[in-house]
Amino acid sequence: MRVLIDTNVLISAALSTNGVPFQAYVKAASYPNRGLICEQNVDEMKRIFNKKFPNRLASLDKFLSVALMTLELVPIPMDESSWESQIRDVNDRPILRAAIAANADVLLTGDNDFLESGLKNPAIMTPAEFLKY
């Protein structure tokens, strides 16, 4: 199963190895699954850590160095599509575009803009839902 991991799950996983987001990240990145991220995920993580967790930048670098060896970095198509309007936050739309272009089966997120979108392909799941799947 191809699983694009959204920024909020990646941040939670980078901050703590004890929670459900980290367990979901490990499952998504482990065989037979294939974990995916896009450049926007990486950029958002760096921006958020610089702003909210500046004292944790070393742990972010360590997390990303392992994640980028394990996860597939997928491109974000530039062309917008009409189905993107189902996502309220325009900043989240490139992540959806990347998931669809990469043929992701699941978009793993805690973001209500995705969770309340009604999208079925890819399946939108929280970390807890993904662990039960």
Side-chain angles (χ1 to χ4, degrees):
M1 186 168 17
R2 294 175 63 78
V3 183
L4 192 128
I5 309 167
D6 195 16
T7 308
N8 54 66
V9 176
L10 291 166
I11 289 172
S12 295
L15 289 171
S16 173
T17 60
N18 296 324
V20 170
F22 184 79
Q23 293 171 15
Y25 159 77
V26 169
K27 179 179 177 180
S30 301
Y31 183 82
N33 298 317
R34 182 76 179 134
L36 314 170
I37 59 171
C38 63
E39 194 64 45
Q40 183 165 326
N41 296 129
V42 176
D43 293 345
E44 284 181 344
M45 287 184 74
K46 289 178 180 178
R47 184 176 39 80
I48 290 167
F49 265 74
N50 275 311
K51 182 178 179 181
K52 294 185 177 183
F53 311 107
N55 59 330
R56 302 285 305 271
L57 289 172
S59 62
L60 173 64
D61 288 340
K62 186 176 181 181
F63 177 84
L64 284 175
S65 68
V66 172
L68 292 172
M69 288 189 311
T70 309
L71 304 173
E72 180 182 339
L73 187 63
V74 298
I76 300 170
M78 299 311 286
D79 295 333
E80 296 180 18
S81 297
S82 59
W83 41 258
E84 288 184 34
S85 63
Q86 292 177 262
I87 303 298
R88 292 182 298 238
D89 186 347
V90 295
N91 295 322
D92 287 335
R93 293 176 183 178
I95 293 173
L96 176 63
R97 251 185 271 144
I100 291 170
N103 294 317
D105 300 295
V106 174
L107 176 56
L108 182 60
T109 186
D111 187 329
N112 283 334
D113 287 324
F114 286 119
L115 295 168
E116 296 171 359
S117 69
L119 289 169
K120 302 291 181 216
N121 191 18
I124 312 291
M125 293 185 194
T126 66
E129 291 167 338
F130 181 67
L131 287 174
K132 293 176 188 173
Y133 187 72

